Amino acid sequence: MKAKELQDLIDFIAKSGLNKVNIETEEFKISVQREPNTRQVMSVAAPAPQAAPAAVAAPAPAAPVAAAAAAPAPAAAAPAEAANMVPLKSPMIGTFYRSSSPETPAFIQVGDLVEKGQVICIIEAMKLFNEIEAEQSGRVVKALVENASPVEYDQPLFLIEPM
């Protein structure tokens, strides 16, 4: 398989939205796996009798990399606005919720005082609802994530002014 054909295949897979593809022929074996918001990883392995290279890494398409690079920019700008604020960061990947159910009020509002250990939100991960507690006492200055939004590991959720 030529480099141009390989790049066309990678571009096709990226546009298809598939996260994992395995292709195996008599000449080669290709495995492409993509994680959300990360660059693509691809390996090409030749059968044992041949002396072809064992693995080749190909660059990810420009669009997904640009989108991943653009996503952290707003989160990085928020802490710069408030130098004395401490961000409360997500300890896991999941879906962020401000209350335990749609019918109940949010655990905290902007302006509320929170105590260390107080539950301030929930993150759903793999059908489990994990209570996230304040790591320190202070006043909630800003909510950085919308309710029912996906969050990444170490993503700032709230800005807290220490007391």
Side-chain angles (χ1 to χ4, degrees):
M1 180 174 261
K2 295 181 181 172
K4 173 72 174 130
E5 294 171 327
L6 195 55
Q7 187 60 44
D8 290 342
L9 177 62
I10 291 170
D11 291 342
F12 173 76
I13 293 168
K15 291 176 185 173
S16 72
L18 297 173
N19 285 336
K20 186 172 182 180
V21 175
N22 292 319
I23 301 172
E24 189 171 342
T25 68
E26 291 180 11
E27 299 174 41
F28 61 87
K29 179 179 178 181
I30 296 177
S31 177
V32 179
Q33 184 170 352
R34 178 176 59 183
E35 305 264 339
N37 294 330
T38 60
R39 63 184 184 94
Q40 250 181 342
V41 177
M42 187 193 89
S43 65
V44 178
Q50 295 182 358
V56 176
V65 172
E81 294 173 9
N84 62 337
M85 306 303 162
V86 177
L88 175 78
K89 296 181 178 182
S90 173
M92 64 189 69
I93 296 172
T95 304
F96 170 85
Y97 294 104
R98 295 190 67 172
S99 63
S100 58
S101 72
E103 298 82 30
T104 59
F107 290 108
I108 59 166
Q109 299 292 334
V110 172
D112 287 354
L113 291 175
V114 295
E115 300 281 330
K116 181 177 181 175
Q118 178 182 344
V119 175
I120 60 172
C121 65
I122 292 178
I123 296 181
E124 177 189 6
M126 296 176 33
K127 305 289 184 196
L128 295 175
F129 292 88
N130 302 282
E131 293 181 339
I132 308 304
E133 299 176 349
E135 296 171 352
Q136 65 182 30
S137 298
R139 181 179 307 278
V140 178
V141 177
K142 187 172 186 181
L144 302 172
V145 181
E146 294 294 321
N147 191 44
S149 298
V151 293
E152 295 292 325
Y153 171 75
D154 215 27
Q155 177 180 346
L157 305 174
F158 296 96
L159 286 180
I160 298 177
E161 181 180 27
M163 299 220 136

